[in-house]
Amino acid sequence: AQSVAQPEDQVNVAEGNPLTVKCTYSVSGNPYLFWYVQYPNRGLQFLLKYITGDNLVKGSYGFEAEFNKSQTSFHLKKPSALVSDSALYFCAVRDMLQGNTPLVFGKGTRLSVIA
Amino acid sequence: GAGVSQSPSNKVTEKGKDVELRCDPISGHTALYWYRQRLGQGLEFLIYFQGNSAPDKSGLPSDRFSAERTGESVSTLTIQRTQQEDSAVYLCASSLMGQGGNEQFFGPGTRLTVL
């Protein structure tokens, strides 16, 4: 079975400070990993994904994430947070052996960036 | 081209009525997914269409829920005899076929309120 854990319901950071949103996963085989962001009353927007290759993945809006196989983690990071980054962030996983099956999502982490 | 579109954006209905939600995927996307997002919660998988294969209905919560897809285009999610616990945002997503590393593109959702 596949699963994703986002251990923090809420993360608060000051504008200009680095931010980290944590994600750990569980799959039988090797994972494809994704981050999405959801702004109020909007659908989910794709931020970045890890498929293979470099463990550090760069995505939209200055976000990046690092795949760590030994720790089964895929934490989302940004060097300098903006107030406009305040939103709900979802981590998702799919087992590489499962083809195009639906992504399994974490429960989400609400990021609040304070000016 | 355009992204995934959903209609209506909002639907208020009375308990016991049937509702139909529509999703127009991105042209050329043969995979289509329906999710439900209850207030303050993560995404709950409902049903998945992949090309001409039989849909994966394993996430449908009861036999009141059904979905259809015409070829590789529009999909409709039908909820019969709605209950208050059906109140949620219903999200549709589509993606290209492939090895599983393709991201899902989400529509803006339909907010369903059952009175």
Side-chain angles (χ1 to χ4, degrees):
Chain A
Q2 306 167 72
S3 66
V4 172
Q6 293 182 243
E8 302 153 317
D9 291 336
Q10 174 90 33
V11 171
N12 298 319
V13 297
E15 187 176 30
N17 282 4
L19 70 86
T20 299
V21 183
K22 296 180 180 177
C23 171
T24 59
Y25 67 89
S26 175
V27 295
S28 300
N30 291 311
Y32 292 127
L33 292 155
F34 303 79
W35 275 102
Y36 285 81
V37 60
Q38 186 178 34
Y39 297 101
N41 301 314
R42 303 280 293 277
L44 275 69
Q45 294 180 30
F46 169 73
L47 276 179
L48 51 79
K49 65 182 178 183
Y50 170 80
I51 299 177
T52 187
D54 287 343
N55 289 341
L56 184 63
V57 178
K58 294 187 183 295
S60 307
Y61 312 120
F63 284 94
E64 58 188 30
E66 185 164 13
F67 171 61
N68 187 317
K69 187 171 184 177
S70 64
Q71 296 185 4
T72 61
S73 68
F74 190 55
H75 301 330
L76 181 70
K77 299 184 179 185
K78 186 173 182 180
S80 179
L82 300 173
V83 172
S84 58
D85 293 330
S86 299
L88 190 56
Y89 290 81
F90 290 97
C91 181
V93 70
R94 176 190 282 139
D95 191 312
M96 280 189 187
L97 299 177
Q98 298 295 319
N100 251 35
T101 53
L103 293 175
V104 174
F105 286 84
K107 292 186 176 182
T109 298
R110 187 165 300 281
L111 173 67
S112 180
V113 181
I114 304 161
Chain B
V4 177
S5 61
Q6 292 185 246
S7 61
S9 55
N10 282 285
K11 177 71 176 178
V12 180
T13 190
E14 294 179 346
K15 178 181 173 180
K17 301 284 190 182
D18 297 351
V19 296
E20 190 172 277
L21 312 180
R22 176 187 169 106
C23 173
D24 282 89
I26 293 172
S27 178
H29 282 193
T30 52
L32 186 146
Y33 314 80
W34 283 98
Y35 292 87
R36 178 168 70 179
Q37 185 179 25
R38 289 198 168 109
L39 186 64
Q41 310 250 332
L43 274 70
E44 175 188 5
F45 162 68
L46 296 177
I47 188 168
Y48 157 52
F49 296 89
Q50 177 170 282
N52 294 320
S53 301
D56 176 356
K57 304 180 181 180
S58 61
L60 295 178
S62 78
D63 59 7
R64 296 186 294 106
F65 288 72
S66 63
E68 293 184 348
R69 186 180 188 192
T70 306
E72 294 180 354
S73 60
V74 171
S75 176
T76 55
L77 176 69
T78 301
I79 308 173
Q80 296 179 309
R81 306 180 302 282
T82 52
Q83 303 295 313
Q84 288 184 334
E85 62 262 28
D86 299 335
S87 296
V89 176
Y90 289 82
L91 292 166
C92 175
S94 69
S95 76
L96 293 167
M97 289 286 288
Q99 300 292 324
N102 293 315
E103 60 268 31
Q104 296 175 184
F105 292 84
F106 282 82
T110 294
R111 182 176 299 276
L112 175 65
T113 302
V114 181
L115 301 177

